[in-house]
Each structure stands twice: as structure tokens, then as C-alpha cells.
Amino acid sequence: MPGYVIGNFFVYSVINAFTPGPGNILALNTVTNYGWKKGAPLFFGIFSGYYVVQMICAVFVYGVSTLLPEVLGVMKYVGAAYILWLAVHIAVSRPDGDGGERSASFLKGFMLQFVNVKIYLFGITALTGYVTYYSTALPVLVFFEFVIATIGTIATSAWIGTGLAIQKVYLRHYRLINIILAVTLLECVYSILK
């Protein structure tokens, strides 16, 4: 796999993982409301769920590549369309002032990831956009999904660790931050389609 492809895979993964999503927002909201100690079970649930969902994505992409290999070519374009949609969504989005999470359980964090469409699309898009052209072997797919889940866990940890600081900076400069992230994602779309 060429270095520029791996680089674009990481750029896409970092941007997708660090942008606000259900897991990151829930973690931020929980740490600002309950602190680390009371929120820890929820955080570990989010992390665990992330790894499980990404392994499901690896098995799904492997199954598709084995049983319906021609679908991977179509999924590449679907993935590019999703990244384009994500770029537009990020560029025009505003911070959400919602802050009403009341329970910080492991199960709540774990189950959130199973309904978190963002991470399913993230995992499948990253594989079909950057990896499957070079390899559809299950160990390779699992490795890259493990990398994605690790980047996602680091991102959520950053949201937790900086708590209100990220929220304050993001709230002040969200438009500029969102536009920079969106433009960077457009380069990722270009790299998938070229």
C-alpha cells in the first residue's frame, strides 16, 4: 500500500474520529456533568463498543469481498459520497447546546456504539476507500479496523480529557474549525476517486 494512501487513511480516520459525534458528545457531556470518576463506566463502555463495532465492520467487508467482490467497487463510491456528505455536514453544522445525559453506565456507552451510524460508515468507508483495493484478507481488514477503533478511543479520550476546554474553544471558533475539517475531508474524497 503506497504511503500517500496510508497517509490519507490516517487523515480521514483522525478527522472522522475527532469530529463531534454521538460518542464524543456523550463523553464530553458526561465528564462535564459528572467528572471522570462517575463517568468512567460510560467511557469504558464507549471504548469497548467501538472495538466491537469495528470488528463487525471488518467481518462485513470481508464477507462482501468474498461473496460479492463486485460490490466493493460500488461501496467505494458510496463511501466517497458519505465522506462528501460528512464534509458538507461538518462545514454547516453548529454546536449543539443539548446537555441532558443523566446516566453514566458501561452498558449505555457500549450500546450507544451499536446504534452509532457514524462509526459503522466510518469503518466501512475507510476499508473500502483505502484498504480493499490492496487487500481483502481478513487479518488486514481487522488490523485497519483495530487502528480505527484505537484512533476513535484516543479521540474520545481527548474529548474527555479536555472537557470544557474543547467545548469553549470549539464554541468560539466552530465555524473556522468545521470549514478546515470539511476541506480536508474533500481531499480524502479526491484520493478515493482518483
Side-chain angles (χ1 to χ4, degrees):
M1 186 179 298
Y4 75 90
V5 173
I6 292 172
N8 282 332
F9 168 84
F10 278 107
V11 166
Y12 171 64
S13 297
V14 167
I15 288 173
N16 203 320
F18 276 84
T19 55
N24 290 342
I25 297 299
L26 178 61
L28 176 68
N29 182 266
T30 301
V31 77
T32 57
N33 286 321
Y34 301 112
W36 166 257
K37 206 172 201 176
K38 287 185 180 177
L42 178 113
F43 308 145
F44 290 120
I46 290 172
F47 302 155
S48 300
Y50 215 130
Y51 282 94
V52 172
V53 167
Q54 293 311 312
M55 294 310 113
I56 290 169
C57 290
V59 170
F60 171 77
V61 171
Y62 174 75
V64 168
S65 71
T66 303
L67 302 173
L68 305 165
E70 63 280 350
V71 172
L72 284 181
V74 174
M75 288 178 69
K76 172 181 166 177
Y77 294 102
V78 170
Y82 168 69
I83 297 172
L84 181 61
W85 174 86
L86 186 63
V88 170
H89 178 72
I90 288 171
V92 300
S93 69
R94 297 178 164 276
D96 185 4
D98 186 357
E101 200 54 44
R102 296 288 171 240
S103 173
S105 71
F106 177 89
L107 187 60
K108 183 168 275 184
F110 187 77
M111 295 308 292
L112 168 72
Q113 299 299 45
F114 285 90
V115 298
N116 185 351
V117 175
K118 178 186 173 188
I119 67 170
Y120 284 101
L121 292 173
F122 175 15
I124 292 169
T125 300
L127 290 185
T128 59
Y130 299 105
V131 179
T132 58
Y133 181 78
Y134 301 97
S135 177
T136 57
L138 185 59
V140 172
L141 300 177
V142 166
F143 169 77
F144 278 98
E145 291 293 18
F146 184 82
V147 169
I148 288 169
T150 301
I151 291 169
T153 297
I154 292 167
T156 302
S157 297
W159 280 78
I160 293 166
T162 53
L164 289 173
I166 279 182
Q167 189 177 36
K168 288 177 183 175
V169 169
Y170 179 73
L171 289 173
R172 268 187 281 151
H173 304 289
Y174 75 89
R175 181 62 57 212
L176 176 63
I177 292 168
N178 288 353
I179 288 172
I180 291 169
L181 294 173
V183 168
T184 308
L185 281 178
L186 290 177
E187 197 287 321
C188 293
V189 169
Y190 172 75
S191 74
I192 287 174
L193 296 178
K194 71 177 187 171

